[in-house]
Amino acid sequence: MECPHLSSSVCIAPDSAKFPNGSPSSWCCSVCRSNKSPWVCLTCSSVHCGRYVNGHAKKHYEDAQVPLTNHKKSEKQDKPQHTVCMDCSSYSTYCYRCDDFVVNDTKLGLVQKVREHLQNLENSAFTADRHRKRKLLENSSLNSKLLKVNGSTTAICATGLRNLGNTCFMNAILQSLSNIEQFCCYFKELPAVELRNGKTAGRRTYHTRSQGDNNVSLVEEFRKTLCALWQGSQTAFSPESLFYVVWKIMPNFRGYQQQDAHEFMRYLLDHLHLELQGGFNGVSRSAILQENSTLSASNKCCINGASTVVTAIFGGILQNEVNCLICGTESRKFDPFLDLSLDIPSQFRNKRSKNQENGPVCSLRDCLRSFTDLEELDETELYMCHKCKKKQKSTKKFWIQKLPKVLCLHLKRFHWTAYLRNKVDTYVEFPLRGLDMKCYLLEPENSGPEHCLYDLAAVVVHHGSGVGSGHYTAYAAHEGRWFHFNDSTVTLTDEDTVVKAKAYILFYVERQARAGSDKL
């Protein structure tokens, strides 16, 4: 938006010596000393944390307004207001009086000059840090970012994602998808969108909620995010450009309230699928698919039109059988799917931990069996029998007609009651290797034994009591090691920790033909 308060609020010199030392993205709040989401006031150059940390930047603005209430209006207008601040990571500008991001500048271009100065400080700090690390490595000094695995020293190459304000639901899904190798590699190998011509060539675009640019590409921003996650950077990547595109094309996810990670994953995959169908960066969908020779025609499952990498990787087919209990008429329907949503059987819903003694532990097999078992439809779901020519009582059963390359299993932990949405906090035991899906197939004899076995690639976990609150993290395997992704923090973990997690979404990858298997 066009902010009218810049002239009275932007008062600091672009090369002000009042700025703290070090890189702007790691500056600390002057009140709580947190280095998460630092914002610099463009009136006095003081640094405070954002509203989704401890909110000291907003409090700085509010405190500056209190002495002004006793002054005359003319005096109030002449005095600097401390209303405008800049994000030290994304360099976007925000006005607290307008309560929105700012796209304009002062007549002297001070905002852009401050932005460029902060970028220079960041680049200088990065270069100095790189030289320091190189010197330490050359001198064989102790490097705290190196880990010892199986007797050899190796570095953590995983990169965290900044939380932009309750965006942990997005971060957990992105980190999970980035560790599904075939899916991730496909996007990273796509051609990049060409830089703009003219005055904006090579210049970073600062997106805000008020911009009307409809020429956005979810595929391109998704590609850039995936490329950034495994480059070995120790600084968390900020996915604000991707989040901006999400706001543009998925209105349900606008704002900074907590969202459902599963719902976001389905919207994300659906929109990637639709955009790839329409072509990307001037390249037709068919040409893009041909680039990846591993995606053969036999592995494609069409959902809402032609096949793309989304359906080739995640797409499976269900057979839905409905039988009339009066005349015995059978109806069959084939439904494509990208994931399976599984109920946690009611007899296990009070079992909250693996070691709790009251009854058996719920397993993933129990959830799959509940999904595929024969079920009698209740009075609200009567089947319209074409032979009886009226609605009749009936039974329903699901079979899996075709398994996907990546089997995504969603455990239905949130259920609506009369007044609120409750969480089922039951622990569900799941295997790390050898999930055998053969017994759920419609024609198991047509599938080889290895094509029915799946190994775990990633797990999304919801911590907390409700869908509108709490926190999402993810566990994922990369090159034989398990990592825990908690927004900007990435830590190495072990299999024992992973299997104790209360899974919300599980990503299983089809096992390639090889000797040996551990079945569920």
Side-chain angles (χ1 to χ4, degrees):
M1 60 156 286
E2 298 283 336
C3 174
H5 310 112
L6 294 183
S7 59
S8 62
S9 295
V10 183
C11 305
I12 59 175
D15 57 349
S16 175
K18 296 181 180 180
F19 288 133
N21 295 324
S23 62
S25 61
S26 61
W27 284 348
C28 295
C29 172
S30 59
V31 178
C32 65
R33 308 308 299 168
S34 171
N35 63 353
K36 294 182 179 179
S37 185
W39 291 74
V40 60
C41 175
L42 298 189
T43 301
C44 63
S45 74
S46 59
V47 177
H48 296 89
C49 59
R51 66 176 69 191
Y52 298 107
V53 182
N54 292 315
H56 288 127
K58 185 178 181 183
K59 191 174 186 304
H60 172 70
Y61 154 71
E62 292 170 345
D63 291 345
Q65 311 313 303
V66 175
L68 300 177
T69 56
N70 297 325
H71 289 259
K72 296 180 181 179
K73 186 176 180 181
S74 59
E75 296 173 343
K76 188 174 179 179
Q77 289 177 337
D78 293 335
K79 190 167 182 178
Q81 302 293 304
H82 301 264
T83 62
V84 181
C85 57
M86 181 176 290
D87 187 336
C88 298
S89 299
S90 65
Y91 313 117
S92 55
T93 310
Y94 191 87
C95 176
Y96 280 107
R97 288 187 67 183
C98 299
D99 195 25
D100 205 346
F101 288 94
V102 177
V103 297
N104 58 316
D105 203 339
T106 64
K107 293 181 179 179
L108 298 176
L110 291 178
V111 173
Q112 180 60 26
K113 290 179 180 178
V114 171
R115 179 178 291 130
E116 291 173 354
H117 182 62
L118 294 187
Q119 287 177 313
N120 290 334
L121 290 177
E122 186 75 31
N123 293 336
S124 298
F126 174 77
T127 302
D129 187 55
R130 185 171 58 184
H131 286 311
R132 181 182 61 82
K133 290 178 181 177
R134 184 180 299 169
K135 189 174 181 180
L136 286 172
L137 290 173
E138 288 174 353
N139 295 333
S140 301
S141 299
L142 184 63
N143 191 329
S144 62
K145 291 178 181 176
L146 294 179
L147 300 175
K148 215 168 187 181
V149 180
N150 297 328
S152 62
T153 304
T154 183
I156 292 183
C157 53
T159 299
L161 286 168
R162 283 185 177 274
N163 192 316
L164 306 177
N166 284 326
T167 57
C168 55
F169 68 93
M170 178 178 74
N171 292 347
I173 294 298
L174 293 175
Q175 294 286 15
S176 298
L177 294 178
S178 76
N179 285 283
I180 298 174
E181 185 176 359
Q182 192 174 12
F183 185 71
C184 179
C185 288
Y186 171 84
F187 283 94
K188 290 198 292 187
E189 291 170 3
L190 285 176
V193 171
E194 294 179 359
L195 292 176
R196 297 181 181 181
N197 296 321
K199 295 181 179 179
T200 59
R203 184 181 300 174
R204 182 175 180 179
T205 304
Y206 298 92
H207 298 300
T208 74
R209 288 172 286 183
S210 304
Q211 284 182 294
D213 181 15
N214 292 319
N215 296 320
V216 294
S217 170
L218 180 65
V219 171
E220 168 64 4
E221 295 305 331
F222 184 67
R223 182 195 69 80
K224 289 193 289 188
T225 301
L226 294 182
C227 288
L229 289 181
W230 289 99
Q231 291 184 342
S233 173
Q234 298 296 332
T235 303
F237 178 75
S238 184
E240 72 269 9
S241 295
L242 175 62
F243 196 40
Y244 163 76
V245 176
V246 169
W247 278 19
K248 294 287 288 185
I249 64 177
M250 306 180 200
N252 290 2
F253 298 95
R254 289 178 184 169
Y256 294 101
Q257 65 271 26
Q258 182 64 281
Q259 301 281 0
D260 185 353
H262 174 252
E263 184 180 1
F264 172 75
M265 181 196 74
R266 284 307 312 268
Y267 270 89
L268 177 67
L269 292 178
D270 287 345
H271 281 81
L272 288 171
H273 173 64
L274 290 173
E275 188 173 321
L276 287 169
Q277 281 183 319
F280 170 68
N281 191 27
V283 182
S284 68
R285 176 196 55 79
S286 59
I288 292 175
L289 277 175
Q290 287 172 4
E291 288 181 3
N292 196 333
S293 59
T294 60
L295 303 177
S296 62
S298 61
N299 291 323
K300 296 173 186 175
C301 170
C302 297
I303 297 175
N304 297 327
S307 175
T308 67
V309 66
V310 176
T311 53
I313 297 292
F314 291 95
I317 300 175
L318 282 175
Q319 177 178 289
N320 182 2
E321 292 181 358
V322 180
N323 287 276
C324 176
L325 291 177
I326 306 302
C327 68
T329 300
E330 184 180 89
S331 172
R332 294 181 181 179
K333 181 183 177 183
F334 292 96
D335 297 313
F337 68 88
L338 294 179
D339 70 306
L340 298 178
S341 291
L342 310 178
D343 280 306
I344 297 174
S346 56
Q347 66 266 31
F348 298 108
R349 292 191 181 178
N350 293 324
K351 180 82 173 178
R352 296 200 169 192
S353 70
K354 185 175 182 179
N355 299 322
Q356 199 170 326
E357 295 182 358
N358 56 337
V361 175
C362 180
S363 69
L364 190 58
R365 180 182 286 276
D366 294 316
C367 300
L368 285 165
R369 187 184 298 117
S370 175
F371 179 79
T372 57
D373 275 352
L374 189 69
E375 172 191 5
E376 185 172 339
L377 300 178
D378 58 31
E379 296 292 333
T380 62
E381 299 178 295
L382 292 178
Y383 164 65
M384 182 63 191
C385 178
H386 297 291
K387 188 173 182 179
C388 299
K389 299 190 182 303
K390 63 178 181 179
K391 291 185 176 181
Q392 301 282 28
K393 286 188 175 182
S394 58
T395 60
K396 179 181 71 174
K397 180 174 176 60
F398 285 118
W399 292 97
I400 298 177
Q401 197 267 340
K402 173 189 172 297
L403 283 166
K405 284 183 171 292
V406 174
L407 179 64
C408 179
L409 300 176
H410 161 234
L411 299 179
K412 295 163 72 171
R413 292 196 174 273
F414 300 108
H415 291 269
W416 284 106
T417 62
Y419 302 102
L420 48 88
R421 199 177 185 186
N422 288 330
K423 180 180 177 182
V424 179
D425 206 27
T426 302
Y427 170 78
V428 177
E429 194 173 48
F430 55 90
L432 290 179
R433 301 175 189 85
L435 171 62
D436 192 351
M437 296 295 294
K438 189 169 186 176
C439 61
Y440 310 109
L441 280 175
L442 180 63
E443 298 175 341
E445 65 277 3
N446 294 335
S447 298
E450 289 291 343
H451 292 291
C452 300
L453 292 179
Y454 287 81
D455 297 327
L456 189 66
V459 187
V460 173
V461 182
H462 177 268
H463 311 267
S465 58
V467 67
S469 60
H471 183 60
Y472 287 99
T473 64
Y475 293 95
H478 186 80
E479 296 180 350
R481 295 183 294 167
W482 280 94
F483 294 87
H484 184 217
F485 298 92
N486 183 4
D487 287 335
S488 58
T489 303
V490 182
T491 55
L492 197 64
T493 187
D494 53 41
E495 294 182 352
D496 291 338
T497 302
V498 176
V499 296
K500 292 176 183 177
K502 293 182 180 179
Y504 181 46
I505 305 171
L506 296 152
F507 296 89
Y508 280 95
V509 177
E510 181 184 49
R511 179 180 292 182
Q512 301 300 316
R514 63 174 183 263
S517 65
D518 300 314
K519 295 185 179 181
L520 172 63

